Amino acid sequence: MGEDEKSPTPAESWAIIDAQRRQVRESLSSDDRMLYGIWGLAWGIGYVAMFFTVGPEGEPHLLGGSIFGGLIVAALVFTVVHSERRASGLGGAGGRMNARLGTAWGASFGASFFIYGGMFSAGLEGEGVGVVANGLPCLVVACLFMASGAAWNDTRQYRLGVWIAVVVAIASVTGVPYLYLVMAGLGGGGFLVAALADYLDRRRA
C-alpha cells in the first residue's frame, strides 16, 4: 500500500465520523438562525409599528395591527415549513412528533384569530383589548417553543420559550402603549440573541 493510500489514524477516523454526523444533523433540522431571526425581526418591527399607531384609548390601530399581523403570519408560515422540512427527513416517532408540533403552530394561531373575532364581536374595546390581544398569541409562542425544546431536548429553544413567557408577563403589567416597546426590545431582542448564539455555535462546530 502506497503512502497516499494508507489508512486514516483513529483520530482522523473519528473526525470524519463527527463531520458526517454534523452534516446529517444539520440536513434534518431547521436552521435556528433563520427561525429565531425571522421571529426577532417580526416582533421588533411589528411591535414598533403597533406602538406608533396605537389609538387614543390604547386600542390597537388597524394599520399597526395589519403590519404586525402580516409579519407574524410570515414568521408562522416559515416555522411550519421548516418543521415539515425536519419531519420529512425523519421516520417513525420522531417524524410524527415534529409533524404534530408543526400542526400545533397553525392550529393554535388559528384558534387565536377566532378568539379575537369573538372579542370584537362582543364589543370589547380600550386598553384591555390591547393587553389581551398581545398576551394571547405571545403565550402561544412561548408554550410552543417550550414544547418543542422539551420534545427535541433543545435547551436554547426551551429557555427562549420561558423567556418569552416572562416578557409577556412584564409587558402585560406595563400596559398599553409601552408594552409594545417591551415586547419589541425584550421579546424581539431575545429572539435575535438566540439567533446570534446559534450562529456562534455553528462557527465553533
Side-chain angles (χ1 to χ4, degrees):
M1 181 180 295
E3 183 176 348
D4 294 338
E5 300 176 355
K6 66 179 181 179
S7 300
T9 65
E12 292 171 338
S13 298
W14 278 113
I16 293 172
I17 293 172
D18 187 56
Q20 291 175 337
R21 284 176 176 171
R22 287 199 305 270
Q23 183 178 2
V24 171
R25 183 172 63 249
E26 291 179 2
S27 67
L28 294 179
S29 64
S30 58
D31 189 338
D32 288 343
R33 296 168 298 180
M34 294 292 294
L35 180 65
Y36 299 146
I38 288 291
W39 279 99
L41 291 175
W43 279 28
I45 297 172
Y47 275 117
V48 168
M50 292 283 285
F51 175 76
F52 283 110
T53 61
V54 68
E57 296 183 4
E59 72 277 8
H61 191 274
L62 179 60
L63 175 60
S66 298
I67 294 173
F68 180 67
L71 291 169
I72 292 300
V73 168
L76 175 61
V77 170
F78 182 88
T79 301
V80 172
V81 169
H82 269 247
S83 295
E84 293 298 328
R85 176 178 176 270
R86 172 185 276 179
S88 66
L90 296 172
R96 290 193 299 272
M97 177 181 66
N98 204 68
R100 289 167 181 171
L101 285 171
T103 302
W105 281 90
S108 299
F109 272 92
S112 297
F113 291 135
F114 280 99
I115 294 174
Y116 290 156
M119 287 170 51
F120 292 120
S121 296
L124 298 180
E125 58 184 20
E127 183 175 346
V129 173
V131 174
V132 175
N134 172 74
L136 179 61
C138 292
L139 279 179
V140 168
V141 173
C143 291
L144 288 174
F145 266 91
M146 285 188 281
S148 296
W152 289 105
N153 195 28
D154 187 333
T155 302
R156 177 175 296 127
Q157 193 169 92
Y158 181 83
R159 288 176 176 173
L160 181 59
V162 173
W163 173 249
I164 294 169
V166 171
V167 172
V168 172
I170 295 172
S172 298
V173 173
T174 302
V176 177
Y178 295 104
L179 73 82
Y180 299 129
L181 293 183
V182 172
M183 295 302 302
L186 298 182
F191 278 113
L192 295 178
V193 168
L196 176 61
D198 188 72
Y199 168 77
L200 294 176
D201 284 348
R202 289 171 182 263
R203 285 286 300 271
R204 288 192 291 265

